[in-house]
């Protein structure tokens, strides 16, 4: 709750403190001239004529009752708007996370225990991948797969084909991060005594890797996934804009441009909620994966 | 009354060709078939879905009475129609109104409506419908800005008969027909207007060739054919229902993705084509370019004459002379934009072009600054007067200025620096930009303004436009305050004599141009790229929005 309150407060004041009049944005837009009467009407309708502190309190009051308010610019309630856009972004983020995990796993397992050259190639690929900016990757993928080869659509479509390029765009840099963490802990795990004892029991190389070492190696990457999910949502702002996908990222970008405070706060609240949920899930996943016995702080066996 | 050195559009062959060319874009696509019936061997085929991809922001309301901006006009042109339209020569032609008369004092206009036209909800088009639309536009609750302003002089409406409606004006308004031709004043079903604003915003009901079927926000608007369509404008290529079965209207904000989607065949038409994609498309067999400059004002840099340093005409002229616009436009727009020397768009028949006033001449600029007291130079090479640096604060709206235009401003910044101007460009989003203008925190600014007809001059340069609305917004960014100009613009707006009107607007433009209040750049760019399978598309000569009524798919 405290986190959500802090998120709502910081977002509200951040959007209101940057210069710009939402009323003008509600009515105006390029090339139109707003009449004073229309402006006054809009101000009164949205409560923009009241002091900022009062606006903040009334917004907070609404949020407390679960009402996300009404968008200044889109003529609709924020709740239904955000939830209608949530699905697209969630699918995008979860698929990207999955694909990133697959790429990272493949790269880490391939490049570990195969000598220095393999390790250096793996590490090099990961560093390059992690450093690639989303907008560059998206544009390059569009040029290669849509314009040159014509195999994938450059924009979102009704079917799954339109998801491929956005997911890859988001997955590649993330795979770089995850892969780096994973390979490092994998290397450490493979040199641990329990691996030696597993080998002594006659476990094959593959068995050691998949059954024993990987569980250790995956731990830091799992905890990183909570953070990664947050970064995927922010990456969605870029990716959804470039691939013209409906989603929270694009909604957020449009809302910030026109100072649509209720939508900005609503989107950020939902993202914060998703982030909290994801952190809880990754904690849970860590516990399940961690082969070491779990002890609660009181010292009793769990 | 042409003065020495004044060049008007008509007498100058090059400009005449330009006018003809731009006027003709209403009808002709470069390298494609014309829209005239029977002009091509292939016959139009019915059916199919056209996908349109817009780079503009998605409208928040599809009813162009509400607010009133260009993205709304683009899509509304497919399903709403106006009382009158313009032909390619810029003459007013009948549309939903068959004919009209104006009383000798110019205060009473009677429009006779076309017979047998119904809105797509079955409501008949009659005098009462037009009355309801005027009332809707003038109702503050509607929140109309563009349409509200255009009807400012209309004080009353009356149904003379079922098919004749009378508008009563407080003062004569020579711009009334031009105003009424705009999509922002399109006629909607009075039955539909009685719904709540939310409902009407989601699916306005008109008489047009298409009907709003669904609108999934942030995704697409789906328009379907109006099979009972009977009211094409006089200059349309065919009669009856449209050929296309439906139109899917999408929003793809990123310019490169939009073009890639067109190349990949995912979409058939894109708007807001950027100079780099236009030059690529020009060499492509499968893509056709439609250049449809918007009417109203040209794109120009307005110099704030309301405060120092640009309250001195010599400093304004020095700035204009110090800016190398031509070379930058050629380089950055790759031939897609023609330099303008006019306050008005080249599609405006009454525009005055004055190339003589806008030469790049840094030596003359330096002399002007010397004479104006800015003779000292500081360590960084900028001019100084009384210890104050010659600074030009220039807020740029990243929503309204395309990347090529932003680069052009940087070029202007660089060339003006050679003469000693410290041009401070700041890129701002729309809301911050409005705030900068409202707080008078600018010396130069570039803002587009689309309106049919030369009356746009009154909006942009009448001293009344300096007084900010409560929001701080105002249209006279040059803060031009000249009683003589105000009088000329008021007379031009009040006269119904075409020749007098033309002469008055010519004089008014001379005051604006010779006073160096603006630096004209080019027409308001409005480029569309179409798949070559799209036949018979054209831009309406009113506000240059494309219409797909005559369009069919050849694939």
């Amino acid at each position: 709750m405290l986190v959500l309150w802090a998120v709502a407060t910081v977002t509200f004041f951040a959007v209101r403190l940057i210069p710009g009049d939402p009323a003008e944005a509600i009515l105006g837009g390029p090339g139109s001239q707003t009449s004073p009467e229309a402006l006054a009407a809009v101000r009164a309708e949205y409560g923009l004529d009241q002091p900022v502190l009062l606006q903040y309190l009334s917004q907070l009051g609404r949020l407390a009752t679960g009402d996300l308010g009404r968008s200044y610019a889109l003529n609709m309630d924020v709740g239904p708007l955000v939830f209608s856009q949530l699905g697209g972004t969630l699918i995008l983020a979860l698929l990207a996370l999955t694909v990133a995990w697959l790429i990272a796993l493949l790269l880490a397992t391939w490049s570990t225990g195969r000598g220095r050259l393999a390790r250096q190639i793996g590490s090099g690929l990961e560093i390059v991948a992690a450093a690639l900016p989303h907008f560059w990757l998206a544009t390059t993928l569009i040029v290669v797969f849509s314009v040159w080869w014509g195999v994938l659509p450059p924009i979102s479509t009704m079917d799954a084909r339109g998801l491929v390029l956005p997911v890859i765009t988001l997955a590649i840099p993330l795979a770089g991060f995850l892969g780096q963490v994973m390979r490092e802990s994998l290397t450490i795990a493979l040199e641990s005594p329990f691996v030696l004892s597993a080998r002594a029991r006659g476990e094959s190389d593959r068995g050691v890797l998949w059954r024993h070492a990987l569980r250790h190696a995956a731990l830091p990457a799992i905890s990183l996934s909570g953070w990664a999910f947050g970064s995927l949502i922010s990456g969605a702002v870029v990716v959804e804009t470039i691939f013209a996908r409906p989603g929270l990222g694009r909604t957020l970008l449009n809302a910030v441009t026109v100072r649509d405070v209720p939508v900005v706060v609503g989107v950020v609240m939902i993202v914060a909620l998703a982030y909290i949920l994801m952190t809880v899930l990754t904690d849970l996943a860590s516990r399940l994966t961690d082969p070491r016995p779990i002890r609660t702080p009181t010292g009793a066996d769990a | 009354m042409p003065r020495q050195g004044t060049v008007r559009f008509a007498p100058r062959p090059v400009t005449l060709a330009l006018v003809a060319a731009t006027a003709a874009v209403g009808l002709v696509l470069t390298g494609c078939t014309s829209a005239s019936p029977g002009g091509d061997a292939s016959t139009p085929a019915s059916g199919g879905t056209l996908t349109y991809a817009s780079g503009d922001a998605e409208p928040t309301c599809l009813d162009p009475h509400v607010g009133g901006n260009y993205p709304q006009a683009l899509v509304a042109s497919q399903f709403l129609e106006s009382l009158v339209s313009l032909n390619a020569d810029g003459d007013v032609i009948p549309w939903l109104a068959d004919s009209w008369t104006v009383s000798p004092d110019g205060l009473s206009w009677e429009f006779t409506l076309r017979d047998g036209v119904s809105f797509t909800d079955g409501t008949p088009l009659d005098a009462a419908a037009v009355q309801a639309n005027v009332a809707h536009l003038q109702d503050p609750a509607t929140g109309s800005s563009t349409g509200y302003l255009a009807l400012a002089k209309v004080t009353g409406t009356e149904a003379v008969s079922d098919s004749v409606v009378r508008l009563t004006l407080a003062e004569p308004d020579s711009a009334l027909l031009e105003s009424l031709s705009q999509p922002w004043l399109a006629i909607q079903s009075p039955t539909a207007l009685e719904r709540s604003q939310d409902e009407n915003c989601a699916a306005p009901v008109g008489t047009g060739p298409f009907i709003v079927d669904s609108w999934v926000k942030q995704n697409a608007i789906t328009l379907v054919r109006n099979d009972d369509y009977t009211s094409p404008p006089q200059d349309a290529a065919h009669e009856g229902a449209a050929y296309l079965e439906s139109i899917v209207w999408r929003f793809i904000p990123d310019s490169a993705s939009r073009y890639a989607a067109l190349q990949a065949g995912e979409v058939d038409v894109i708007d807001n084509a950027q100079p780099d994609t236009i030059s690529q498309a020009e060499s492509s067999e499968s893509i056709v370019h439609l250049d449809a400059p918007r009417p109203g004002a040209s794109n120009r840099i307005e110099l704030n004459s309301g405060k120092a340093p640009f309250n001195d005409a010599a400093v304004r002229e020095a700035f204009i002379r110090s800016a190398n616009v031509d070379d930058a436009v050629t380089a950055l727009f790759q031939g897609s934009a023609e330099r303008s020397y006019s306050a008005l768009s080249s599609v405006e028949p009454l525009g005055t072009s004055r190339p003589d006033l806008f030469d790049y001449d840094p030596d003359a600029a330096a002399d002007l600054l010397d004479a104006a007291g800015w003779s000292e130079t500081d360590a960084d090479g900028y001019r100084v007067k009384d210890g104050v640096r010659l600074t030009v604060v220039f807020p740029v709206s990243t929503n309204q200025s395309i990347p090529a235009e932003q680069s052009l401003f940087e070029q202007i910044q660089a060339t003006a620096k050679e003469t000693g101007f410290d041009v401070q460009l700041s890129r701002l989003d729309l809301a911050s930009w409005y705030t900068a203008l409202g707080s008078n925190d600018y010396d130069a600014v570039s803002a587009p303004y689309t309106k049919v007809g030369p009356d746009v001059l009154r909006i942009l340069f009448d001293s009344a436009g300096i007084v900010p609305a409560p929001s701080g917004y105002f249209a006279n960014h040059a803060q031009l305050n000249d009683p003589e100009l105000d009088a000329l613009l008021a007379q031009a707006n009040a006269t119904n004599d075409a020749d007098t009107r033309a002469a008055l607007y010519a004089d008014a433009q001379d005051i604006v141009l010779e006073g160096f209040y603006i630096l004209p750049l080019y027409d308001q760019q409005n480029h569309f790229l179409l798949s070559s399978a799209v036949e018979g598309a054209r831009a309406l000569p009113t506000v240059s929005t494309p219409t797909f009524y005559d369009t069919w798919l050849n694939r």
Side-chain angles (χ1 to χ4, degrees):
Chain A
M1 263 335 266
L2 194 69
V3 174
L4 288 180
W5 169 78
V7 164
T9 305
V10 170
T11 314
F12 179 87
F13 285 105
V15 182
R16 284 316 301 265
L17 286 180
I18 39 178
D21 180 359
E24 188 60 44
I26 291 168
L27 284 172
S32 69
Q33 192 184 18
T34 313
S35 68
E37 292 86 349
L39 257 166
V42 161
R43 290 234 164 103
E45 187 186 341
Y46 290 89
L48 292 168
D49 46 357
Q50 289 165 0
V52 172
L53 202 65
L54 214 64
Q55 292 180 39
Y56 163 70
L57 288 176
S58 74
Q59 174 137 11
L60 212 58
R62 276 202 313 273
L63 286 176
T65 61
D67 178 6
L68 291 174
R70 192 172 168 77
S71 161
Y72 294 160
L74 295 173
N75 275 319
M76 64 187 292
D77 288 333
V78 176
L81 168 76
V82 169
F83 283 108
S84 70
Q85 303 295 325
L86 181 63
T89 304
L90 274 186
I91 290 174
L92 189 66
L94 291 175
L95 279 176
L97 194 60
T98 314
V99 172
W101 259 90
L102 288 177
I103 299 176
L105 265 178
L106 281 176
L107 209 61
T109 48
W110 173 81
S111 64
T112 313
R114 241 170 245 256
R116 248 186 79 190
L117 186 65
R119 198 162 62 236
Q120 278 172 348
I121 291 176
S123 154
L125 281 175
E126 283 155 12
I127 289 172
V128 170
L132 289 177
H134 288 135
F135 72 87
W136 182 86
L137 207 52
T139 317
T140 309
L141 288 173
I142 287 177
V143 168
V144 174
F145 288 98
S146 304
V147 179
W148 289 354
W149 294 347
V151 287
L152 288 166
I155 51 168
S156 76
T157 49
M158 289 299 154
D159 54 22
R161 288 186 314 139
L163 261 172
V164 178
L165 291 183
V167 165
I168 295 179
T169 304
L170 281 175
I172 287 181
L174 185 58
F177 278 112
L178 292 177
Q180 272 173 313
V181 174
M182 232 184 263
R183 204 162 33 76
E184 200 182 319
S185 42
L186 192 61
T187 314
I188 295 170
L190 282 174
E191 287 160 3
S192 306
F194 74 87
V195 168
L196 197 68
S197 64
R199 281 190 207 281
R201 290 198 304 271
E203 188 75 90
S204 68
D205 270 2
R206 186 175 292 179
V208 166
L209 185 67
W210 289 100
R211 257 194 293 282
H212 299 280
L214 211 54
R215 286 178 71 168
H216 287 264
L219 273 180
I222 288 178
S223 3
L224 201 63
S225 294
W227 162 85
F229 187 75
S231 86
L232 283 176
I233 303 263
S234 70
V237 174
V238 175
V239 167
E240 286 172 358
T241 304
I242 293 182
F243 291 102
R245 283 188 61 77
L248 282 185
R250 207 170 146 194
T251 310
L252 184 63
L253 185 70
N254 291 338
V256 170
T257 314
V258 297
R259 305 288 183 270
D260 196 342
V261 183
V263 173
V264 176
V265 174
V267 171
V268 175
M269 295 278 286
I270 295 298
V271 171
L273 253 176
Y275 187 79
I276 292 170
L277 209 72
M278 198 63 195
T279 314
V280 171
L281 281 177
T282 51
D283 275 359
L284 218 67
S286 300
R287 284 173 184 237
L288 290 177
T289 322
D290 197 336
R292 289 167 298 187
I294 297 162
R295 287 174 195 284
T296 60
T298 54
D301 281 344
Chain B
M1 297 159 281
R3 296 178 191 169
Q4 196 65 33
T6 304
V7 182
R8 308 230 189 275
F9 276 126
R12 194 160 152 263
V14 179
T15 331
L16 186 65
L18 186 73
V19 171
T22 45
V25 295
L27 286 171
V28 183
L29 307 176
T30 48
C32 186
T33 56
S34 85
S36 54
D40 197 86
S42 46
T43 40
S46 239
T49 296
L50 178 129
T51 307
Y52 182 99
S54 177
D56 280 307
E58 181 170 355
T60 55
C61 173
L62 298 187
D63 172 3
H65 288 189
V66 178
N69 62 20
Y70 204 76
Q72 287 176 311
L74 277 170
V75 65
S77 295
Q78 316 312 322
F79 56 82
L80 298 183
E81 297 180 313
S82 301
L83 285 178
V84 296
S85 187
L86 300 183
N87 66 14
D89 299 326
D91 303 322
V92 179
I93 56 170
W95 199 352
L96 291 181
D98 254 339
S99 61
W100 50 88
T101 56
V102 56
S103 65
D105 61 3
L107 295 178
S108 169
W109 290 73
E110 283 189 12
F111 294 87
T112 305
L113 301 171
R114 196 158 165 161
D115 266 344
V117 178
S118 289
F119 295 98
T120 50
D121 62 358
T123 311
L125 169 75
D126 55 15
V130 177
Q131 286 183 289
N133 275 271
V134 172
H136 186 242
L137 281 162
Q138 292 188 326
D139 181 358
T142 304
S144 169
S145 49
T146 313
Y148 179 90
L149 211 78
L151 291 179
K153 291 184 174 179
V154 175
T155 52
T157 60
E158 191 187 333
V160 179
S161 73
D162 250 11
S163 61
V164 177
V165 64
R166 181 187 297 144
L167 302 189
T168 318
L169 277 62
E171 299 164 49
D173 183 3
S174 64
L176 184 68
L177 289 175
E178 288 161 347
S179 295
L180 288 172
S181 76
Q182 304 182 119
W184 301 294
L185 289 98
I187 304 299
Q188 301 178 44
S189 158
T191 318
L193 287 179
E194 280 169 16
R195 301 176 297 176
S196 75
Q197 177 150 324
D198 285 358
E199 280 177 87
N200 204 57
C201 278
V205 177
T207 54
F210 296 93
I211 303 168
V212 180
D213 183 55
S214 67
W215 178 19
V216 181
K217 283 192 179 167
Q218 317 230 25
N219 192 12
I221 303 166
T222 306
L223 309 169
V224 296
R225 178 167 56 202
N226 171 11
D227 288 323
D228 305 321
Y229 182 65
T230 55
S231 50
Q234 215 179 40
D235 56 346
H238 81 290
E239 289 185 349
Y243 299 122
L244 293 171
E245 203 164 295
S246 59
I247 301 175
V248 174
W249 200 274
R250 297 196 49 165
F251 299 92
I252 305 183
D254 184 73
S255 152
S257 324
R258 205 157 58 239
Y259 185 60
L262 178 68
Q263 285 177 301
E266 293 285 334
V267 303
D268 304 301
V269 181
I270 64 171
D271 62 20
N272 287 283
Q274 303 298 307
D276 56 328
T277 47
I278 295 168
S279 70
Q280 276 183 56
E282 295 277 342
S283 59
S284 163
E285 295 263 308
S286 58
I287 295 174
V288 177
H289 174 209
L290 168 59
D291 180 10
R294 297 186 195 173
S298 60
N299 268 24
R300 71 237 164 267
I301 297 175
E302 292 156 303
L303 306 181
N304 182 353
S305 64
K307 65 174 196 173
F310 284 148
N311 52 4
D312 182 344
V315 180
R316 292 197 298 270
E317 182 178 356
F319 178 75
I320 285 169
R321 301 282 188 203
S322 73
N324 186 352
V325 178
D326 281 357
D327 289 350
V329 168
T330 311
L332 293 166
F333 285 82
Q334 304 172 28
S336 63
E338 186 103 15
R339 175 73 200 274
S340 163
Y341 305 99
S342 171
L344 292 179
S345 160
S346 67
V347 299
E348 292 296 345
L350 297 184
T352 298
S353 184
R354 293 289 301 272
D356 57 308
L357 291 174
F358 300 102
D359 278 343
Y360 171 53
D361 190 346
D363 293 337
D367 292 345
L368 281 162
L369 286 182
D370 286 341
W374 296 91
S375 46
E376 287 171 46
T377 306
D378 69 9
D380 296 325
Y382 297 114
R383 296 283 182 142
V384 179
K385 180 182 181 180
D386 303 331
V388 180
R389 185 183 271 189
L390 184 51
T391 305
V392 177
V393 175
F394 190 168
V396 177
S397 159
T398 50
N399 296 67
Q400 301 185 62
S401 288
I402 61 170
E405 187 164 279
Q406 294 175 29
S407 303
L408 169 66
F409 296 155
E410 283 168 10
Q411 295 288 313
I412 289 173
Q413 177 186 39
T415 50
K417 185 188 174 189
E418 287 164 17
T419 308
F421 282 93
D422 180 11
V423 180
Q424 296 180 352
L425 291 174
S426 52
R427 289 188 164 80
L428 301 173
D429 66 23
L430 196 58
S432 311
W433 182 81
Y434 274 128
T435 305
L437 296 195
S439 52
N440 200 17
D441 193 9
Y442 71 98
D443 299 304
V445 72
S446 178
Y449 206 103
T450 305
K451 185 187 192 303
V452 173
D455 189 43
V456 69
L457 294 168
R458 193 170 53 91
I459 292 169
L460 294 178
F461 301 116
D462 190 298
S463 61
I466 301 176
V467 184
S471 67
Y473 185 77
F474 56 102
N476 188 346
H477 298 138
Q479 304 200 9
L480 210 165
N481 191 351
D482 183 342
E484 189 194 344
L485 178 64
D486 291 353
L488 284 172
L489 292 171
Q491 285 168 35
N493 187 234
T495 180
N496 277 320
D497 179 72
D499 292 338
T500 316
R501 188 177 184 232
L504 288 165
Y505 278 128
D507 289 346
Q509 290 175 75
D510 282 341
I511 290 179
V512 172
L513 298 173
E514 288 169 3
F516 298 103
Y517 294 100
I518 60 167
L519 171 55
L521 301 173
Y522 31 71
D523 284 337
Q524 222 190 117
Q525 299 296 298
N526 201 29
H527 297 272
F528 301 86
L529 295 177
L530 301 87
S531 149
S532 54
V534 177
E535 305 266 11
R538 64 171 184 136
L540 281 172
T542 51
V543 297
S544 302
T545 50
T547 168
F548 298 109
Y549 166 59
D550 289 326
T551 300
W552 55 283
L553 299 171
N554 186 7
R555 63 181 171 209

